[in-house]
Amino acid sequence: MAEVEVTRDGAVQTITLNRPEVLNAFNRAQHAALREALKEARDPEVRAVVLTGAGRAFSAGQDLKEFGEAPDVSEALRESYHPNVLAIRALEKPVIAAVNGVCAGAGLSLACVCDFRIAADNASFVPGFIGIGLVPDSGGTYFLNRLLGASRAFEWMTSNRRLTAVEAHAWGLVSEVVEADELPARVAEIAAFYATLPTRGIGMTKRLLDHADGATLEEQLEHEAQLQSAATKTEDFREGVAAFLEKRDPRFTGR
Ligand code: T3D
């Protein structure tokens, strides 16, 4: 059985974490399979990516039965988790987390690495790390600080409270909550919509938002100017302006 399943529907690639018997907890094989799937997602024909889980979980984080196999856990993080976190941020296209169930530990971090999250109404969010005496990793502190603010992120990550999907929505952690059996269809609809947009413009917007966090205003203005210059050289920019002037809907190709 593949630890990660990859399917393609038009320009949408769906990556499914597939170890449902352990709530899609991560082991080394799954990290490697996810790395391959994210490489496939670089294909320019893929214009939106969905990350989800099989069964009743998104992911319960590190597989605790395989924890500590590496001589030093920092090495395991550098070798297994970090490349996939960085690969998601490096994808020049939207990556949507379809949170289909419980999401804990590094699974929660991974959902937060994605560009936005749509949750099933029966999904739940559990920090996990402090429950076993660990600190958040795999980008958890980086992304939760930004998504929730330092105070709420601290309180949640240290209390280890299980958050419902509705609470996660109220906190701004997820964009939308849908009935569990409607999640695949709703996410397919959202991903298909994103796949019709100017993909390169979306990729560059992602770059700019990531860059904004550590930048001065002067640096950010310069970065915006450079990427705007690149955006004006895309076919989608020409098509967008032509469609506007001709009073018709644009047909973006992602080029
Ligand atoms: O090595 C490194 O690289 C370090 C990296 C660390 C990153 C991390 O992610 S550390 C945090 C690891 N995750 C956790 O600590 C979460 C542990 N799990 C839970 O707290 C709960 O299972 C959940 C809140 C996720 C779900 O609760 P619930 O009540 O819905 O399900 P359950 O009954 O606890 O779990 C169902 C099964 O999944 C159960 O197996 P069983 O008894 O049916 O055979 C359980 O043992 C298994 N399971 C759940 N989480 C994990 C797991 N098995 C292995 N690893 C898990 N993380």
Side-chain angles (χ1 to χ4, degrees):
M1 187 184 67
E3 284 85 1
V4 166
E5 275 188 353
V6 180
T7 57
R8 185 88 70 93
D9 183 5
V12 177
Q13 177 177 310
T14 298
I15 301 172
T16 305
L17 303 170
N18 190 32
R19 303 184 73 224
E21 67 287 357
V22 288
L23 305 185
N24 302 317
F26 291 107
N27 65 3
R28 280 183 170 264
Q30 191 174 38
H31 286 298
L34 180 57
R35 200 170 313 173
E36 285 309 306
L38 291 169
K39 270 187 204 157
E40 262 184 61
R42 287 191 219 149
D43 179 348
E45 298 301 315
V46 173
R47 294 172 64 191
V49 178
V50 174
L51 181 63
T52 193
R56 72 174 183 90
F58 180 80
S59 168
Q62 170 64 32
D63 188 328
L64 294 176
K65 292 174 196 129
E66 297 190 25
F67 190 91
E69 281 185 351
D72 187 314
V73 79
S74 67
E75 279 312 307
L77 287 168
R78 286 186 201 103
E79 283 169 21
S80 297
Y81 285 91
H82 297 186
N84 288 333
V85 169
L86 296 172
I88 290 173
R89 294 316 308 156
L91 276 178
E92 305 248 341
K93 54 198 78 179
V95 182
I96 305 163
V99 184
N100 55 301
V102 68
C103 183
L108 172 64
S109 299
L110 199 73
C112 293
V113 172
C114 296
D115 293 304
F116 62 93
R117 289 143 289 284
I118 309 291
D121 57 357
N122 61 358
S124 59
F125 299 80
V126 186
F129 300 98
I130 200 70
I132 54 170
L134 293 184
V135 298
D137 61 25
S138 313
T141 53
Y142 187 93
F143 292 101
L144 283 162
N145 212 21
R146 282 159 180 75
L147 286 165
L148 303 180
S151 174
R152 183 165 265 174
F154 174 83
E155 203 182 349
W156 187 36
M157 298 315 277
T158 54
S159 68
N160 205 24
R161 183 157 89 76
R162 191 169 188 146
L163 212 65
T164 65
V166 170
E167 289 172 314
H169 186 244
W171 282 14
L173 190 62
V174 305
S175 307
E176 195 175 322
V177 179
V178 298
E179 281 183 28
D181 57 2
E182 287 171 14
L183 183 72
R186 177 65 184 138
V187 170
E189 183 183 25
I190 293 169
F193 165 70
Y194 270 88
T196 65
L197 299 181
T199 310
R200 296 192 52 207
I202 289 179
M204 287 189 266
T205 302
K206 183 168 171 171
R207 291 280 77 73
L208 283 169
L209 292 173
D210 280 358
H211 185 266
D213 278 326
T216 64
L217 177 58
E218 288 79 3
E219 288 164 349
Q220 192 64 13
L221 287 170
E222 180 53 30
H223 203 41
E224 285 176 357
Q226 286 175 11
L227 293 196
Q228 195 66 291
S229 170
T232 61
K233 296 180 177 72
T234 63
E235 288 179 22
D236 281 342
F237 169 64
R238 282 195 292 280
E239 167 62 9
V241 174
F244 177 79
L245 296 176
E246 292 161 21
K247 299 190 186 302
R248 61 171 174 80
D249 288 336
R251 288 179 298 271
F252 296 120
T253 59
R255 288 190 278 273

